[in-house]
Amino acid sequence: MSNNPLLFFLTVVFFSFWLISCSATKNNNDETGDLVHSSCLHANYPTICIRTLSSYKGPAKTHRDLAQAAVKVSLSRARKVSKYLTQVSSSVNKGTNKRERVALSDCVEQLSDSVEELGKTLSELKHLRGETFRWQMSNAETWASAALTNEDTCLDGFEDVDGRVKIDVKKKITNVARVTSNALYMINRLDETRDKLRFNP
């Protein structure tokens, strides 16, 4: 035992606070993990859902948090792919297959629309009000659904296109479409848990 009682006391107090802090952090992480797993269980792509939301850096303690996180993930990936498509489209020369050029051009426009719609979806989820909840949720669902449709339409445009560009685009768009599908599921799930929500005043 230390010969300094005060030092010993402070050490014990510090260690106690450290244990409490670790315990609280663990409990919060466990609760967040449980919510993510239970919420992702019936998503269209549960494995992707769990992976993206478990690693998401931000508050995710409620269904509303999860819905916003899912849309943020989708929006972030859609923006990256939109930028990629714009770069690829601008670098394609006139000697490239016309069908491929048209598919790329259409896809650039569709992903741009998708980014805009996901942005509006996120904004709506951030400003939910009790008295306008149904209307706002309908807007969010409509925009997220439209974003997913645009992504699927982009994929369809490459159906009769061959080559490396198609492979790259298909892989990237498929990834975005899957996280968008999960985001739409989270929005629908949020709609079902309205009574548990705390709205902005």
Side-chain angles (χ1 to χ4, degrees):
M1 182 181 293
S2 171
N3 292 326
N4 190 326
L6 179 59
L7 179 61
F8 176 74
F9 173 75
L10 290 175
T11 302
V12 170
V13 170
F14 174 79
F15 186 67
S16 297
F17 275 115
W18 180 76
L19 286 177
I20 292 171
S21 176
C22 289
S23 177
T25 301
K26 182 179 183 301
N27 289 337
N28 286 336
N29 289 338
D30 288 345
E31 289 175 8
T32 299
D34 289 344
L35 180 61
V36 168
H37 279 76
S38 63
S39 298
C40 289
L41 190 60
H42 299 294
N44 288 333
Y45 304 97
T47 302
I48 293 175
C49 181
I50 292 171
R51 186 178 70 246
T52 55
L53 294 184
S54 294
S55 60
Y56 176 75
K57 295 181 180 179
K61 299 177 181 178
T62 67
H63 291 290
R64 182 178 178 179
D65 291 337
L66 284 184
Q68 288 187 32
V71 174
K72 285 179 181 178
V73 169
S74 178
L75 178 57
S76 174
R77 296 194 180 189
R79 281 174 174 160
K80 289 178 182 177
V81 174
S82 180
K83 183 178 180 180
Y84 162 79
L85 289 172
T86 300
Q87 292 173 340
V88 172
S89 180
S90 63
S91 65
V92 168
N93 57 52
K94 293 183 179 180
T96 305
N97 181 287
K98 181 180 178 182
R99 191 168 286 173
E100 181 179 293
R101 281 189 283 116
V102 171
L104 269 173
S105 177
D106 289 345
C107 209
V108 167
E109 184 177 343
Q110 287 147 1
L111 258 290
S112 177
D113 289 343
S114 185
V115 167
E116 181 180 348
E117 286 150 356
L118 289 169
K120 291 192 292 186
T121 301
L122 182 59
S123 179
E124 198 77 311
L125 292 178
K126 286 181 175 180
H127 301 93
L128 291 176
R129 297 277 192 270
E131 65 275 11
T132 56
F133 179 82
R134 291 299 176 200
W135 177 70
Q136 290 178 288
M137 289 306 299
S138 177
N139 286 340
E141 289 165 359
T142 297
W143 289 325
S145 180
L148 181 58
T149 298
N150 279 323
E151 292 153 12
D152 287 339
T153 302
C154 171
L155 283 174
D156 292 341
F158 281 88
E159 198 64 39
D160 297 320
V161 176
D162 295 317
R164 183 67 193 174
V165 171
K166 174 184 177 177
I167 295 172
D168 290 343
V169 170
K170 187 174 181 180
K171 180 180 179 180
K172 293 178 184 297
I173 296 296
T174 297
N175 180 279
V176 174
R178 287 176 177 175
V179 293
T180 301
S181 176
N182 284 341
L184 180 57
Y185 169 79
M186 285 297 175
I187 293 170
N188 290 330
R189 186 174 173 83
L190 174 61
D191 198 0
E192 297 169 0
T193 58
R194 182 192 179 203
D195 294 338
K196 299 178 182 179
L197 287 172
R198 282 190 231 170
F199 296 100
N200 294 327

